[in-house]
Amino acid sequence: MENKTSFLPREGETQPSRCPDNSAFKQQRLPAWKPQLTIASVLSSFFVTGAFCLVVGVCLVRSANSVREIQIDYSDKCSNCSELRENSSNWNKECHCSVNFTLKEDILGDVFMYYGLQNFYQNHRRYMMSRSDLQLLGRNVNIQRSYCAPFSTYRNGTPMAPCGAIANSMFNDTIDLFYNHYSSVIQVPLLKTGNSWWTDKNVKFRNPESYNLPSAFAGTARPPYWQKPVYLLDEEDERNNGYVNDDFIIWMRVSAFATFRNLYRRIRRVRHFAEGLPAGNYTFRISYNFPVSRFKGRKQVILSTVVWSGGSNPFLGIAYLVSGTAATLTGFVITGIHLKLKKKKTYFQKQ
């Protein structure tokens, strides 16, 4: 039978106290500040907040509207190439198309070139997880245990580099811009490096260590939808090859929405383009490699400038305007209720 007196203190022992220590914190004797809300402080906070949000919203909207931007949709104009690319047996055949457009006014300052995709969903969970971050760090890992399947190895066991569905679906159209200057055609110089984040280029993506890139990727093969191996992504600049290629790094940063744009190139400000893009006739020459008709997508090329608040996106400014309007209207509603109650209180006091 259990001894019920085993938990009682023995003779000469004292039972430990369960009271909190006699300190200011545990006895709740610390000084405290409790705001005394008055009608003046409440109304002033609403009106000051509303005025601040309205001013910031107007500045952001005006800044976004000052961005110069032109969008060129080439999905229909390159439909012949799209039909060719839909057949996977034509992966090694080249297809080119041209799109002409006119700039009525100069685009001054730094000009950025983006490619845009519509109806391309990158926010699917399996798609987002289909990558190997350790492989992208240049480490020799067993990608069969990663989330890259089914784009991890070929049937003969050769591993893919890079592996995963994100890398396999990389945008690979080549876009060149030409300026029709009177009777001559001038190719607009484009910068293809310096477009990714510093942390991506130096921390999150690294090539395997070797005396050259072909030997570093020996024993691997390109993804199925790629036309060339990863160490030949940029045949003109060896430092922009492999996992540290800017186009590859930007593509691996998946979008949250089905319609998005990624930075592709920057206009190099030299000679005729020292001040930006002059007005005139231009031509996009596109090497078409990325089909979109199968998932009813669209493709655009966007030329845009940037301002202190970013690109042409008025969402943040509109959000500030809505918040400021809501705060100001709430202040007026509270003021009306206060005056009505004050008037009623005065009336009953006179009675």
Side-chain angles (χ1 to χ4, degrees), residues 115 117 120 122 127 165-171 246-255 260 262 290:
Y115 63 84
L117 291 176
F120 190 95
Q122 289 187 312
Y127 180 88
I166 306 177
N168 183 60
S169 61
M170 176 181 168
F171 182 86
D246 275 44
D247 293 339
F248 174 72
I249 291 175
I250 292 174
W251 177 259
M252 294 298 292
R253 192 187 310 134
V254 296
S255 173
F260 61 93
N262 285 335
F290 194 87

Side-chain angles (χ1 to χ4, degrees), residues 53-339:
C53 291
L54 288 174
V55 171
V56 175
V58 170
C59 294
L60 290 174
V61 170
R62 293 189 61 183
S63 176
N65 291 336
S66 65
V67 174
R68 294 290 310 280
E69 181 176 294
I70 179 172
Q71 296 187 19
I72 307 295
D73 191 309
Y74 64 95
S75 303
D76 296 332
K77 296 181 179 180
C78 299
S79 58
N80 293 335
C81 292
S82 179
E83 294 176 0
L84 179 70
R85 285 287 173 244
E86 289 297 338
N87 189 348
S88 59
S89 61
N90 299 325
W91 67 270
N92 59 345
K93 297 181 180 179
E94 295 185 359
C95 188
H96 302 273
C97 59
S98 299
V99 180
N100 300 319
F101 66 98
T102 302
L103 287 182
K104 297 181 179 180
E105 298 179 357
D106 297 343
I107 300 181
L108 303 178
D110 294 328
V111 183
F112 299 83
M113 181 188 294
Y114 302 83
Y115 63 84
L117 291 176
Q118 294 182 6
N119 206 37
F120 190 95
Y121 290 85
Q122 289 187 312
N123 55 1
H124 194 279
R125 180 175 177 272
R126 290 189 62 185
Y127 180 88
M128 295 175 61
M129 295 180 61
S130 184
R131 59 187 293 167
S132 174
D133 292 325
L134 292 179
Q135 184 195 43
L136 298 177
L137 283 173
R139 301 178 183 177
N140 187 13
V141 295
N142 185 3
I143 60 175
Q144 290 183 346
R145 298 182 180 179
S146 65
Y147 293 102
C148 289
F151 302 102
S152 55
T153 60
Y154 286 93
R155 293 182 178 179
N156 59 0
T158 304
M160 299 181 188
C163 70
I166 306 177
N168 183 60
S169 61
M170 176 181 168
F171 182 86
N172 57 349
D173 281 0
T174 302
I175 306 172
D176 294 318
L177 180 60
F178 293 87
Y179 175 45
N180 303 318
H181 184 62
Y182 298 107
S183 58
S184 61
V185 178
I186 304 173
Q187 184 172 3
V188 180
L190 303 175
L191 296 172
K192 52 186 174 182
T193 57
N195 301 324
S196 60
W197 297 346
W198 184 91
T199 52
D200 288 342
K201 194 84 170 182
N202 297 273
V203 179
K204 297 176 63 176
F205 294 85
R206 296 178 183 176
N207 285 325
E209 295 183 359
S210 182
Y211 63 92
N212 59 23
L213 279 182
S215 63
F217 290 98
T220 63
R222 58 176 176 80
Y225 290 175
W226 285 28
Q227 296 178 329
K228 49 188 175 182
V230 66
Y231 53 86
L232 292 179
L233 288 179
D234 189 351
E235 300 181 10
E236 299 176 359
D237 189 355
E238 295 182 356
R239 298 171 297 178
N240 192 38
N241 261 321
Y243 297 148
V244 296
N245 177 265
D246 275 44
D247 293 339
F248 174 72
I249 291 175
I250 292 174
W251 177 259
M252 294 298 292
R253 192 187 310 134
V254 296
S255 173
F257 302 100
T259 299
F260 61 93
R261 64 176 63 178
N262 285 335
L263 181 60
Y264 182 67
R265 297 289 184 266
R266 291 177 294 128
I267 306 299
R268 186 180 179 185
R269 298 176 62 177
V270 295
R271 298 180 182 177
H272 296 85
F273 314 100
E275 301 297 329
L277 288 179
N281 298 321
Y282 289 84
T283 301
F284 280 123
R285 294 183 184 176
I286 302 166
S287 177
Y288 199 103
N289 300 306
F290 194 87
V292 295
S293 58
R294 181 171 297 178
F295 56 88
K296 298 180 181 180
R298 309 287 298 182
K299 292 193 294 186
Q300 301 93 21
V301 186
I302 302 106
L303 295 174
S304 175
T305 59
V306 295
V307 291
W308 61 272
S309 60
S312 178
N313 188 358
F315 172 79
L316 187 59
I318 295 175
Y320 268 100
L321 290 176
V322 172
S323 301
T325 304
T328 305
L329 291 178
T330 303
F332 281 116
V333 170
I334 295 176
T335 302
I337 295 174
H338 171 69
L339 293 177

Side-chain angles (χ1 to χ4, degrees), residues 5-15:
T5 63
S6 59
F7 296 100
L8 296 178
R10 299 179 182 178
E11 295 182 3
E13 295 182 355
T14 58
Q15 187 174 3

Side-chain angles (χ1 to χ4, degrees), residues 17-23 25-29:
S17 175
R18 299 175 60 87
C19 297
D21 296 337
N22 189 21
S23 62
F25 177 76
K26 293 187 177 181
Q27 294 297 335
Q28 301 182 7
R29 293 195 299 267

